[in-house]
Amino acid sequence: MNHNIEVHVIENSDMIDVQQYDVFFTEFRKIIGEIEKQKNNEDILLVNMASGTPAMKSALLVMATLAEYRFIPIQVSTPKKKGNLEYEDRDDYDVETNWELNEDNRSEAENRCHEIKCMNLMRLLKIDIIKKHLLSYDYRAALEVGKDIKDDISPEIYNWLEAAAARSVLDWNKMNKALPKGNGIVTPVKTDDVKRSLFEYTLILDLKLKRGEYADFIRAFTPLGVDLMESVIEQYCEVNISDYYKGKNSAKQWNQRKLESSEILPLLQGDFSRFNFGPVYSIQLVNLIEAKCSDDLLKQRARELVTVEQNTRNIAAHNIVSVTEKWVKEQTGKSVSEIMWLIKYICSRVKINIREENWNSYDKMNTHIIKLLDEL
């Protein structure tokens, strides 16, 4: 056929016990490992699984199943689909005559080589690990395992893992870039969509509770508390509170000049002996809510939520403490689930989220990714 085939013969005179599986596994692993080092990305290693002793075949089959090295195992059937019983004179072999009579050279001849569809154990294990990470809401870990088997999963699944990891850290640019378009599960987030951004941030707080990260939950609650109180004020108190802040590009701080000439300063101050014109705090905003809002239940829930923050944030942020469910209950009188319920209640009242099923957004995303993994 005028095809140049380069042959490398690897010999080991010490290998005399052809029935010992362990010997061949160690030897083949070393040989294939050396070949793997020489391969380029586009190179494909085909391994004939049909020839050799049972120990040789078993060793190669285990390697193909574990997929420590990437190769395609090939099974070659005999022409009669059973053992070759004909005796061939290998000392006086007529190559030309046998080549001329070889039925495999006919155009209609059956291809007797078949790729063995081994159960790729390592791949299955890593897919199972990805599922477990998803169910525990550890999206960064799920993505890291996904990188190990990127070539064995679909681009859609890998994009989902990237999008989920980015979503869990509020990286909208990366999430939007990776998110499969028109997926019907998660829609892109625009940076100027304040309500959607707040909702996603609230979902992150919910994830922290599900992961048992109570200290992080307490510390991350403060900025959301301010945003929720702002929304209540603007929707129920007829006050555009941001008019009393310093420039929009800076952190939320009070504009002392504007406040001192306004009627809302004493309302914000409440029972405090003096007013702090520095950063905006939820404790100040809730004073205004209690003075201006006519919805008694909403006022009560807002005060309860701010009280939770006041009783826990400084301790968790500035002291080495073990923040557990019991500790939160002792400090606030409320369980973590009750605190999360308060957050969700106020979110619904200010229309950050009005559909209860949306709170299961991460679970819905997980279910979709796992379904794609099960279909591989």
Side-chain angles (χ1 to χ4, degrees):
M1 297 178 70
N2 297 319
H3 186 83
N4 181 33
I5 298 177
E6 186 177 352
V7 178
H8 293 260
V9 178
I10 302 172
E11 296 183 350
N12 186 338
S13 58
D14 295 329
M15 297 180 69
I16 56 176
D17 296 319
V18 296
Q19 76 282 359
Q20 292 186 2
Y21 158 81
D22 291 344
V23 175
F24 287 107
F25 182 84
T26 302
E27 189 72 9
F28 289 167
R29 185 168 178 266
K30 180 179 67 175
I31 293 170
I32 293 178
E34 290 298 319
I35 296 173
E36 187 76 17
K37 292 177 183 178
Q38 301 171 34
K39 283 172 55 182
N40 295 320
N41 290 335
E42 66 274 12
D43 291 337
I44 300 174
L45 176 60
L46 308 179
V47 177
N48 177 12
M49 309 288 283
S51 302
T53 68
M56 293 177 181
K57 297 176 182 179
S58 297
L60 289 172
L61 185 61
V62 168
M63 289 185 65
T65 304
L66 291 175
E68 181 180 5
Y69 298 118
R70 195 174 303 280
F71 62 84
I72 298 178
I74 302 296
Q75 174 71 43
V76 185
S77 302
T78 65
K80 296 182 179 180
K81 303 295 191 298
K82 58 183 181 179
N84 286 318
L85 301 178
E86 292 83 359
Y87 173 77
E88 294 177 338
D89 185 352
R90 301 190 181 188
D91 295 326
D92 186 19
Y93 190 82
D94 189 342
V95 175
E96 293 185 2
T97 301
N98 277 283
W99 181 254
E100 183 179 350
L101 297 176
N102 190 344
E103 295 182 3
D104 286 324
N105 289 334
R106 296 178 181 177
S107 59
E108 69 275 12
E110 176 190 2
N111 180 7
R112 295 188 285 111
C113 297
H114 306 281
E115 178 181 343
I116 302 176
K117 301 297 183 181
C118 298
M119 180 189 69
N120 189 319
L121 183 59
M122 194 63 69
R123 173 174 169 268
L124 292 177
L125 287 174
K126 291 196 173 184
I127 287 175
D128 191 53
I129 291 172
I130 291 175
K131 293 178 185 178
K132 285 181 168 58
H133 284 317
L134 291 174
L135 294 174
S136 61
Y137 308 101
D138 192 343
Y139 299 102
R140 180 179 178 183
L143 176 60
E144 288 303 312
V145 179
K147 290 178 181 178
D148 293 340
I149 57 171
K150 184 177 180 180
D151 294 337
D152 294 321
I153 58 179
S154 67
E156 181 185 8
I157 293 175
Y158 189 77
N159 286 341
W160 267 113
L161 295 177
E162 279 196 315
R167 185 189 189 193
S168 67
V169 293
L170 307 178
D171 188 342
W172 308 137
N173 289 333
K174 185 175 289 187
M175 185 196 83
N176 293 342
K177 184 178 180 181
L179 198 63
K181 292 180 173 58
N183 59 80
I185 307 295
V186 179
T187 56
V189 177
K190 298 179 180 179
T191 54
D192 58 350
D193 189 341
V194 177
K195 286 190 175 181
R196 177 69 194 285
S197 298
L198 286 178
F199 175 63
E200 287 289 337
Y201 187 87
T202 307
L203 289 177
I204 296 301
L205 289 186
D206 198 26
L207 289 187
K208 291 183 183 299
L209 290 187
K210 291 175 178 177
R211 293 194 293 248
E213 299 170 355
Y214 304 120
D216 287 344
F217 170 79
I218 295 299
R219 287 190 285 266
F221 169 67
T222 295
L224 178 65
V226 170
D227 288 330
L228 289 180
M229 296 306 113
E230 287 176 344
S231 297
V232 172
I233 290 171
E234 291 174 359
Q235 295 181 39
Y236 290 89
C237 302
E238 298 181 350
V239 175
N240 191 358
I241 194 66
S242 60
D243 287 345
Y244 301 93
Y245 295 169
K246 290 184 178 179
K248 293 183 178 180
N249 294 329
S250 61
K252 292 180 179 179
Q253 292 201 348
W254 294 111
N255 185 315
Q256 184 172 351
R257 179 182 58 81
K258 288 185 177 181
L259 267 185
E260 287 179 334
S261 61
S262 74
E263 61 180 16
I264 71 166
L265 177 57
L267 304 181
L268 288 166
Q269 184 171 339
D271 295 332
F272 291 118
S273 58
R274 64 184 182 84
F275 187 80
N276 182 357
F277 290 99
V280 176
Y281 293 116
S282 60
I283 189 66
Q284 300 164 327
L285 298 177
V286 78
N287 287 336
L288 179 60
I289 292 172
E290 291 183 323
K292 298 278 287 182
C293 181
S294 60
D295 189 319
D296 291 336
L297 183 57
L298 180 57
K299 287 194 294 187
Q300 176 187 336
R301 300 303 187 210
R303 174 58 71 177
E304 288 178 17
L305 193 58
V306 171
T307 300
V308 167
E309 179 202 356
Q310 295 299 306
N311 291 341
T312 57
R313 192 194 70 83
N314 285 335
I315 300 175
H318 303 294
N319 297 275
I320 300 175
V321 293
S322 174
V323 181
T324 62
E325 287 188 81
K326 181 180 178 182
W327 183 90
V328 173
K329 180 78 172 180
E330 291 173 347
Q331 297 297 318
T332 66
K334 296 184 183 299
S335 67
V336 291
S337 59
E338 289 172 329
I339 296 170
M340 196 65 216
W341 181 88
L342 280 174
I343 295 173
K344 292 178 179 180
Y345 173 82
I346 296 179
C347 283
S348 67
R349 294 299 305 274
V350 296
K351 298 180 177 57
I352 288 176
N353 176 48
I354 58 176
R355 298 177 62 185
E356 182 65 25
E357 60 268 25
N358 288 344
W359 293 114
N360 298 321
S361 178
Y362 272 86
D363 290 322
K364 188 176 180 181
M365 179 180 70
N366 291 347
T367 300
H368 181 70
I369 300 173
I370 290 173
K371 180 175 180 291
L372 293 175
L373 289 168
D374 288 339
E375 292 173 352
L376 285 175

